[in-house]
Amino acid sequence: MPGKDTYKRAQKVLAGGVSASMRIHPYLERPVYVTHGDGAHIWDETGAKLLDFNNSNGATMLGHNYPAVQDAMQELMNKGPVSAGESEEHVQLAERLCKIIPSAERVRYASTGTEATSLALRLARHVTGRQKFLKFNGHFHGLADAFLFQPRDTIHASAKPQAVSGGVPSSYAYDSLSVSWNDRDALDAMMEREGTSIAAIICEPVWYNAGCVPPDEGFLEHLREVADQYGCVLIFDEVLSGFRMAPGGAQQHYGVMPDITTLAKALANGMPLSAVVGKAEYMEQLAPVGPVAHSGTYSGHPLAIAAANAATEILSKKKTYTDLNKTANWFYEQLQESFDAANVPVRVQGVGARFGLYFNREEDVRTSEDAATNDHNLNRQFVTGCFDRGVYFHAYRTAGAPGHSGITLSHTREQLSEALNVIQDVAKSLER
Ligand SMILES: Cc1ncc(COP(=O)(O)O)c(C=O)c1O
């Protein structure tokens, strides 16, 4: 078996057999070895063609091998890209981001989402002179030390959080506060107790890392209010939600302005580029003008900047989203109908180009507790059944909230209809 054989080789030379822990497909119990992608499809090392609902964990929003992005990178490859240098293209992209991201007045590039969220937190700590921050249970902001804590006990919010990784300084636990998503009462109680020592409130404005859990009506507005009331910096981690449903991401879609935003993934259609954007008065605290350290050899890598200039030209157009949201909403309705027709209780939730499937659930998923009810036994049967028939859903874990999936600008209604036929057949075969 090629996939299994490669994994055996990998386990002898790659730590843990992979290059990133989430590359193990937990239901297939091995990584999927991908050779290349084109449009809505990827190919694995056996030559199998798979309709891709993972899209590089949400990074390839336009689709794989997207011509305008490929051409821009190829042109630079032919000339000779130079790392660790500034170019006019860096300025051009920042000008566009300041135009299309409503709260962006200044931009700083980095390479990964984790770098961006870490820097956003550092900035917030500097401008407030405070150390603690508030996040929401299960929201994913990358694997930097600060974010590697979860509440030990969701009932007694004051209990010291526990580290979810080895090697994380336990003293950091005291800085990490969290409450359940969409739980206003818990948020208000936490703010009343800790608000004046909190530097930042950070959230995924649409919680895609648990499938897709949108904010309740008024919840983001409430975050803005309490952040102002207690003098905290409001950070929207739009690494996934950026460009997902509107050119200006979730902040534009819901009309709520954060102080600082993190972007990555769709920004460069899968090339390693992230950005911290926000209020000039905060952003100008970054070195070399201000005292907050940030630099990096690969920050704003020229190939990624070329890709991002090409990608955001398309992602800055309203028309792109009229078409995309129409296709996405049509697909989510059809998906729900497919599960209903197969008589399998699955709740489909989607916003813009990304969605979540909650197995063994009929009600809305609103909170961290709701998301955790996903039935992984059914989820696994579904994902492996689809995989065998050429439809690829990634999975990130075998317990708790499900992973996120999505479509791209390259997914056609015809391809999606074919996938729906497979999905309905597989759904019918699930054993409860
Ligand atoms: C919302 C969010 N923030 C941060 C990150 C971390 O980004 P990266 O994997 O590029 O470090 C991710 C990655 O999935 C994410 O989804």
Side-chain angles (χ1 to χ4, degrees):
M1 275 277 286
K4 288 210 167 116
D5 290 348
T6 309
Y7 188 34
K8 267 192 203 143
R9 281 172 50 207
Q11 284 168 308
K12 292 193 183 130
V13 283
L14 288 171
V18 283
S19 313
S21 61
M22 290 181 211
R23 302 267 168 87
I24 288 280
H25 195 304
Y27 297 149
L28 300 173
E29 297 175 356
R30 64 172 177 84
V32 175
Y33 290 99
V34 180
T35 57
H36 65 291
D38 190 49
H41 290 98
I42 54 172
W43 281 259
D44 78 5
E45 65 170 353
T46 69
K49 180 181 178 184
L50 300 158
L51 187 75
D52 183 14
F53 283 116
N54 179 47
N55 331 118
S56 316
N57 294 350
T60 40
M61 238 313 270
L62 302 174
H64 302 290
N65 197 23
Y66 197 81
V69 176
Q70 293 294 114
D71 290 350
M73 289 195 294
Q74 196 58 57
E75 198 185 323
L76 184 58
M77 279 301 286
N78 292 343
K79 285 198 264 187
V82 177
S83 288
E86 290 289 299
S87 72
E88 195 268 331
E89 282 71 20
H90 289 75
V91 182
Q92 185 192 329
L93 178 62
E95 285 169 346
R96 181 176 285 147
L97 293 178
C98 288
K99 219 164 157 186
I100 62 178
I101 309 294
S103 67
E105 296 174 355
R106 294 285 189 281
V107 174
R108 173 61 63 90
Y109 303 118
S111 301
T112 67
T114 304
E115 255 187 290
T117 53
S118 303
L119 182 59
L121 181 59
R122 184 182 292 163
L123 254 184
R125 284 173 161 162
H126 168 71
V127 299
T128 58
R130 303 171 183 174
Q131 212 161 297
K132 293 184 179 177
F133 69 100
L134 176 67
K135 67 188 282 290
F136 293 88
N137 299 342
H139 284 216
F140 185 65
H141 304 297
L143 299 182
D145 285 358
F147 299 115
L148 288 172
F149 291 90
Q150 68 181 17
R152 194 178 296 273
D153 175 346
T154 49
I155 303 198
H156 305 99
S158 55
K160 184 182 158 201
Q162 63 188 348
V164 294
S165 161
V168 177
S170 60
S171 57
Y172 286 14
Y174 295 103
D175 295 335
S176 169
L177 307 169
S178 52
V179 294
S180 182
W181 183 232
N182 279 331
D183 187 339
R184 264 187 194 231
D185 292 344
L187 171 70
D188 290 348
M190 180 66 86
M191 293 308 289
E192 206 165 293
R193 211 181 60 232
E194 301 275 358
T196 52
S197 54
I198 290 175
I201 301 175
I202 184 169
C203 71
E204 295 184 59
V206 177
W207 184 21
Y208 285 117
N209 274 293
C212 175
V213 189
D216 279 355
E217 209 179 319
F219 190 68
L220 295 180
E221 287 84 345
H222 189 60
L223 287 185
R224 181 67 272 174
E225 278 162 24
V226 294
D228 289 341
Q229 184 185 344
Y230 290 94
C232 315
V233 174
L234 182 60
I235 303 171
F236 279 3
D237 179 358
E238 298 228 45
V239 163
L240 257 177
S241 61
F243 309 99
R244 203 61 60 181
M245 71 300 277
Q251 58 196 263
Q252 181 181 16
H253 185 68
Y254 294 104
V256 178
M257 294 310 115
D259 302 302
I260 298 177
T261 301
T262 53
L263 300 167
K265 303 220 186 219
L267 174 62
N269 203 43
M271 288 297 285
L273 181 70
S274 61
V276 178
V277 307
K279 274 187 180 167
E281 68 173 291
Y282 294 169
M283 296 295 293
E284 293 297 351
Q285 295 299 314
L286 288 174
V289 174
V292 179
H294 173 259
S295 193
T297 305
Y298 303 115
S299 282
H301 190 281
L303 278 174
I305 294 285
N309 270 318
T312 55
E313 189 170 340
I314 295 150
L315 297 174
S316 56
K317 293 194 173 92
K318 268 196 188 151
K319 169 91 175 75
T320 299
Y321 291 91
T322 321
D323 298 344
L324 177 76
N325 289 332
K326 218 187 263 174
T327 302
N329 291 336
W330 164 81
F331 179 59
Y332 303 149
E333 269 173 32
Q334 298 292 310
L335 251 181
Q336 187 66 68
E337 277 178 25
S338 300
F339 287 114
D340 294 348
N343 210 15
V344 184
V346 176
R347 175 88 183 124
V348 179
Q349 293 190 178
V351 176
R354 252 177 136 67
F355 63 94
L357 303 177
Y358 300 89
F359 285 81
N360 224 349
R361 186 164 184 103
E362 280 161 359
E363 313 80 25
D364 281 358
V365 174
R366 286 185 48 250
T367 65
S368 311
E369 292 75 20
D370 292 347
T373 64
N374 181 55
D375 181 333
H376 280 270
N377 175 31
L378 281 182
N379 200 343
R380 178 183 47 74
Q381 289 180 54
F382 173 75
V383 166
T384 54
C386 285
F387 185 79
D388 291 342
R389 297 190 48 183
V391 174
Y392 179 55
F393 289 93
H394 194 61
Y396 297 84
R397 51 189 89 88
T398 52
H404 50 95
S405 304
I407 62 167
T408 70
L409 286 181
S410 299
H411 285 68
T412 64
R413 286 204 184 200
E414 200 182 356
Q415 290 164 339
L416 292 170
S417 297
E418 281 170 25
L420 285 164
N421 290 335
V422 171
I423 286 168
Q424 193 166 337
D425 273 1
V426 173
K428 280 183 190 152
S429 72
L430 300 182
E431 286 173 23
R432 274 189 271 162

